[in-house]
Amino acid sequence: MSQWLPPRRESLLQRLNSLLRDLVSLYTPSGEERKAKEIFSRLSKETGMPLFETETGSFILGGGKVLLASHLDTVPGFIEVRGGDGWLEGRGAVDAKGPLTAMIVAGAMAWAEGKKVTVAALADEENKSAGARELIRSGAKFDHVIIGEPTGTSGIAIEYRGLIHLDIRCQSRAEHSSSSKSNLIAEMCERILKIYSAPDSYLGPTITPTIFRAGEYINVSPSSAYTHLDIRYGRGMDEGEIIKKVKETFTSCEVEVKDHVPPVAVSPNEPAVKAIMRGLLVNNIKPRLIRKTGTSDMNILAQLTRSIVTYGPGDSTMEHTESEKITLEELYIAASTYKYAVDVLCRS
Amino acid sequence: MAQLKCPICGGQVSVEDDALPGELVEHECGAQLEVFKKNETLSLRLAEEVGEDWGE
């Protein structure tokens, strides 16, 4: 355990590099997080932090009222792990095994000093956030929560948009295509174009069709069509109004809400935000407050406490791309910032 | 706590005595403010607008 007491810069960099390489080498798209059991068992033995594996495949280390939470799953598509002088590339290096690595190392250092901290490697964030939802259902209580997602190392995310997933199914009468008077595909396209809203403003709503299926045979006008809408909206927008507008556009169709996560926004005055801010300042980095257009586990875990913030190393424009690359310097800054924040929050 | 003046509404803003230059605070009037040091005393100015990150 004592080996985790705050080490010198060089050995901390080595530790971050080695753990990130281990995690990124293991391909863990959503649903395959359990493959990391051996790594977490080893970490538990090395750090003395108790380990708990959950039903969804999340791994929880330690225990305490300060939670460092990132996610273990990645989007699909393995990227060969490559490393060079001070950098590492591979699936999840940015989203979010880089932030997760920095959190584990920071948490282990704090634990070695007797601080009560919980580090969660959550499952399924890239899918339906089953790990975060399970944590809420478990009744666990935390005073302060820091979410590990890439924010460019100096960014502090205090706001995320909400999301609505809608399934829309429309029916028509199948007819011979040479003489049919109506066409469901053409009608659906017209309605989709009417509702489509490109991502050009934060508040939105951004309404994006992501799936479209229709048609049964080459010379039959289709009898059924299906589309899926991915809707993102900012704080202050009325989700009921958004859904009503969709229903009015797709009259006589079945509109089903498959998922709904409300937006989240917290004040920069919240202790968790302030602790990360100060952690950056003592590392001589000027913090930037940001609001993110997507949705993350912060939207869900905000049910636990208002003292919540998202921060992490890595360039967010690399998320979900074929080039997820992160520098050890970014990991070092993030680990130092998390550690500072845990020290402060454990005292509060 | 240091009592500083909001440069936007003129109201009082409570800032911790050990606040660091560069720290950002939100006043009840809604203004987001940055702590800075002027002649060795803490002061407040309007902070940069919250940035938008179009990543995840």
Side-chain angles (χ1 to χ4, degrees):
Chain A
M1 250 170 83
S2 57
Q3 60 169 318
W4 287 90
L5 285 167
R8 293 158 66 101
R9 179 184 157 86
E10 281 314 309
S11 59
L12 182 54
L13 284 169
Q14 220 169 37
R15 192 161 286 166
L16 289 162
N17 186 29
S18 157
L19 179 57
L20 180 60
R21 185 174 277 277
D22 285 351
L23 287 172
V24 169
S25 301
L26 203 64
Y27 180 52
T28 54
S30 309
E32 296 184 32
E33 295 88 346
R34 288 183 198 286
K35 286 190 209 164
K37 184 167 185 169
E38 204 177 306
I39 293 178
F40 280 91
S41 298
R42 190 191 75 215
L43 280 168
S44 174
K45 274 186 200 144
E46 284 176 7
T47 62
M49 300 171 87
L51 174 66
F52 178 64
E53 185 182 350
T54 74
E55 276 178 26
T56 61
S58 298
F59 293 93
I60 316 286
L61 285 165
K65 295 291 182 194
V66 176
L67 172 67
L68 302 178
S70 187
H71 62 94
L72 183 55
D73 62 318
T74 66
V75 291
F78 184 72
I79 303 173
E80 193 186 339
V81 182
R82 296 192 307 135
D85 186 18
W87 61 271
L88 201 132
E89 186 178 58
R91 173 60 71 211
V94 171
D95 184 17
K97 289 177 175 176
L100 176 60
T101 297
M103 283 191 151
I104 293 169
V105 169
M109 290 191 294
W111 188 266
E113 291 176 343
K115 314 259 167 50
K116 295 295 175 203
V117 59
T118 304
V119 182
L122 297 173
D124 197 51
E125 194 270 351
E126 300 292 1
N127 185 31
K128 297 282 173 69
S129 285
R133 292 178 200 274
E134 178 189 44
L135 193 61
I136 298 286
R137 276 199 315 275
S138 75
K141 301 269 184 265
F142 298 98
D143 294 335
H144 310 283
V145 177
I146 300 171
I147 306 288
E149 284 279 356
T151 57
T153 315
S154 62
I156 300 175
I158 55 170
E159 187 171 343
Y160 274 89
R161 295 203 295 184
L163 78 81
I164 306 167
H165 281 293
L166 290 182
D167 272 350
I168 300 170
R169 290 182 176 81
C170 303
Q171 310 288 330
S172 184
R173 199 164 68 89
E175 291 177 292
H176 196 292
S177 57
S178 66
S179 57
S180 61
K181 295 282 186 291
S182 64
N183 184 283
L184 191 54
I185 293 178
E187 285 167 15
M188 281 285 276
C189 287
E190 203 175 305
R191 294 183 198 197
I192 288 171
L193 286 172
K194 199 171 163 192
I195 200 103
Y196 170 59
S197 174
D200 54 11
S201 83
Y202 183 84
L203 283 180
T206 300
I207 302 180
T208 312
T210 51
I211 304 173
F212 184 86
R213 282 194 289 267
E216 293 86 29
Y217 200 63
I218 56 167
N219 59 1
V220 179
S221 61
S223 66
S224 66
Y226 161 83
T227 190
H228 182 89
L229 299 183
D230 178 322
I231 301 173
R232 308 295 171 122
Y233 66 102
R235 181 175 51 140
M237 300 288 295
D238 182 342
E239 67 267 21
E241 280 299 314
I242 299 168
I243 295 169
K244 189 175 156 207
K245 190 179 162 196
V246 174
K247 284 184 171 170
E248 282 169 359
T249 307
F250 290 90
T251 47
S252 70
C253 298
E254 183 197 333
V255 177
E256 187 185 359
V257 178
K258 299 300 287 183
D259 197 10
H260 173 223
V261 179
V264 59
V266 297
S267 162
N269 301 345
E270 291 295 341
V273 184
K274 204 163 274 294
I276 289 290
M277 212 182 280
R278 288 191 174 191
L280 284 169
L281 286 167
V282 299
N283 277 297
N284 295 315
I285 291 171
K286 187 177 163 63
R288 298 173 296 120
L289 292 177
I290 55 174
R291 49 188 192 171
K292 301 203 43 144
T293 54
T295 308
S296 81
D297 281 346
M298 177 165 163
N299 295 64
I300 293 163
L301 297 180
Q303 293 172 52
L304 293 169
T305 172
R306 294 298 298 164
S307 179
I308 186 168
V309 65
T310 294
Y311 167 76
D315 178 351
S316 63
T317 62
M318 291 183 180
E319 293 177 56
H320 301 194
T321 70
E322 294 304 305
S323 171
E324 288 199 54
K325 186 175 176 179
I326 198 161
T327 66
L328 294 183
E329 186 59 30
E330 289 173 280
L331 291 179
Y332 178 82
I333 292 166
S336 308
T337 303
Y338 291 139
K339 171 66 170 52
Y340 181 94
V342 169
D343 289 351
V344 169
L345 295 172
C346 281
R347 282 199 300 268
S348 71
Chain B
M1 290 285 240
Q3 298 300 320
L4 306 180
K5 190 177 165 186
C6 173
I8 305 304
C9 72
Q12 277 207 332
V13 186
S14 299
V15 174
E16 285 163 39
D17 292 322
D18 60 350
L20 300 171
E23 213 166 293
L24 304 164
V25 294
E26 187 174 61
H27 187 222
E28 59 196 23
C29 71
Q32 295 203 335
L33 308 166
E34 179 185 340
V35 176
F36 74 106
K37 261 194 175 167
K38 191 177 166 187
N39 302 327
E40 290 308 302
T41 50
L42 293 176
S43 196
L44 293 169
R45 61 185 168 209
L46 189 62
E48 275 174 36
E49 219 171 287
V50 176
E52 287 180 5
D53 181 333
W54 286 76
E56 183 185 13

